[in-house]
Amino acid sequence: KAGVTQTPRYLIKTRGQQVTLSCSPISGHRSVSWYQQTPGQGLQFLFEYFSETQRNKGNFPGRFSGRQFSNSRSEMNVSTLELGDSALYLCASSSGQGVNHEAFFGQGTRLTVV
Amino acid sequence: AQKITQTQPGMFVQEKEAVTLDCTYDTSDPSYGLFWYKQPSSGEMIFLIYQGSYDQQNATEGRYSLNFQKARKSANLVISASQLGDSAMYFCAMRGDQGGKLIFGQGTELSVKP
């Protein structure tokens, strides 16, 4: 069974540009969550999608957005990039939203904004 | 508000010895799940073990066990017979009954010495 696939693995962008990251969850999983990891702030929740609907959103500016498609694949978009957006972006997939549903992560996309 | 606290930024352990990584949590949710993840330098978050708040037994997965003390709100990870490949960052996380969002601690960097 294939794991969670995130593409691309690495990205270098310039301030002011926008970027789109992709996440393909484990087959059959309908919940996809996104997290930002930085040395200073640690792991922070961005948003969660379940069956194409955003169910939860973290405390991030509107420049961060996402969506989920009917096949459960998800994308997140960051517009007007800032230097502080440089981070490892992790996607997690779960079969459900309950407390006992394990979240499996992809390898992440490492974004560098210059 | 939910919170996870990991008070050990870094730890050393001798190969083949056991090590305990501390995790305390705070939540007002009646049910919740506690998770431990391993993050090697490659960046991928690897799921290790899960403990549900209503589970009577402590969870075990191979060399990993979770010492769950509900009254103390602690969920310590015990790694038995440490191996060099166990050197990594370890994160404790919690999911409450508000959806799929995971709250992470700041992590503990474990170094296994030969």
Side-chain angles (χ1 to χ4, degrees):
Chain A
K1 199 174 190 180
V4 181
T5 304
Q6 288 189 247
T7 55
R9 290 289 311 280
Y10 302 93
L11 265 180
I12 300 176
K13 289 286 188 179
T14 305
R15 270 182 303 174
Q17 287 186 314
Q18 76 165 17
V19 67
T20 299
L21 312 182
S22 178
C23 172
S24 293
I26 292 170
S27 178
H29 285 193
R30 293 159 62 192
S31 172
V32 174
S33 302
W34 289 88
Y35 297 83
Q36 180 196 65
Q37 186 177 25
T38 59
Q41 299 297 317
L43 279 149
Q44 293 186 285
F45 171 76
L46 281 156
F47 26 66
E48 179 200 8
Y49 288 87
F50 185 82
S51 294
E52 300 180 66
T53 302
Q54 187 179 89
R55 298 298 181 96
N56 247 314
K57 190 176 191 308
N59 190 24
F60 278 81
R63 300 185 297 107
F64 291 81
S65 63
R67 58 178 176 170
Q68 187 179 33
F69 302 95
S70 58
N71 61 358
S72 294
R73 189 177 71 85
S74 177
E75 289 181 346
M76 69 162 279
N77 184 277
V78 188
S79 62
T80 319
L81 284 165
E82 301 177 359
L83 294 179
D85 297 334
S86 294
L88 178 66
Y89 290 87
L90 291 161
C91 163
S93 125
S94 291
S95 56
Q97 291 184 293
V99 297
N100 62 334
H101 285 95
E102 298 147 2
F104 297 93
F105 285 80
Q107 291 185 298
T109 294
R110 197 169 293 277
L111 172 66
T112 302
V113 182
V114 297
Chain B
Q2 297 178 330
K3 188 177 180 181
I4 294 282
T5 302
Q6 294 179 254
T7 57
Q8 307 153 314
M11 286 193 71
F12 289 92
V13 65
Q14 207 67 35
E15 193 179 8
K16 300 180 185 177
E17 291 186 349
V19 63
T20 298
L21 306 184
D22 294 342
C23 171
T24 58
Y25 61 91
D26 191 22
T27 182
S28 56
D29 290 347
S31 66
Y32 48 89
L34 295 157
F35 304 80
W36 276 92
Y37 288 88
K38 172 184 177 182
Q39 187 178 42
S41 56
S42 60
E44 182 180 5
M45 296 285 280
I46 302 168
F47 167 75
L48 295 177
I49 195 166
Y50 160 82
Q51 178 83 44
S53 58
Y54 288 111
D55 292 342
Q56 297 296 315
Q57 305 282 342
N58 284 343
T60 59
E61 289 284 350
R63 294 187 299 112
Y64 305 107
S65 60
L66 202 153
N67 184 0
F68 180 48
Q69 298 188 47
K70 193 171 183 178
R72 293 186 177 186
K73 294 191 173 181
S74 75
N76 298 338
L77 176 71
V78 180
I79 305 175
S80 63
S82 296
Q83 301 172 356
L84 296 178
D86 293 336
S87 294
M89 283 291 290
Y90 288 81
F91 290 94
C92 179
M94 175 171 61
R95 171 180 279 171
D97 55 12
Q98 304 297 321
K101 171 183 176 180
L102 281 169
I103 304 295
F104 285 89
Q106 289 298 309
T108 295
E109 184 171 12
L110 177 67
S111 297
V112 181
K113 293 183 171 181

